[in-house]
Amino acid sequence: MQNLLIIEDEKDIADIYTIWFDKTYQITACYDGLEGLNQIVTQKNLNNILLDLNIPYRNGMDVMEQINSLLLCPDNIKIIVCSGFIPKEFQEKFQTKKNVHFLNKPVLIGDIEKALAA
């Protein structure tokens, strides 16, 4: 079974994602960017990351910059950035990466499923 790391500060939303995907993925949920980076560094066999941008301690853009600069995630790990507002320059920087997908909140389960399957 593949795993899914959810980095989302709103516990209710993280819980909804967990309910949606707990039958098909092994779920780990983090509620801030620092905790999320720690999981990315320590979790073995990481397959997928669902990342909000507006999170405490290290925002999602900082998390993506760390992932990119430290080469923490190889291209086979899917990163789905799911946020209410995604700055255009941030999206342009990462849109050429085939493993990174951008979704605007509110998001439908089918949109996340498509991004995970891509």
Side-chain angles (χ1 to χ4, degrees), residues 19 71 99 108:
I19 291 166
L71 302 173
N99 64 321
L108 301 173

Side-chain angles (χ1 to χ4, degrees), residues 37 40 51 53 58-73 79 81 89-94 97 100 102:
L37 276 172
I40 291 166
L51 175 65
L53 293 184
R58 288 274 180 133
N59 69 41
M61 290 184 283
D62 289 344
V63 171
M64 284 293 292
E65 291 292 344
Q66 285 287 112
I67 289 170
N68 195 42
S69 67
L70 298 176
L71 302 173
L72 294 175
C73 291
I79 303 170
V81 177
E89 61 278 356
F90 174 76
Q91 190 167 356
E92 288 172 350
K93 180 175 185 174
F94 291 100
K97 292 186 163 282
V100 178
F102 295 92

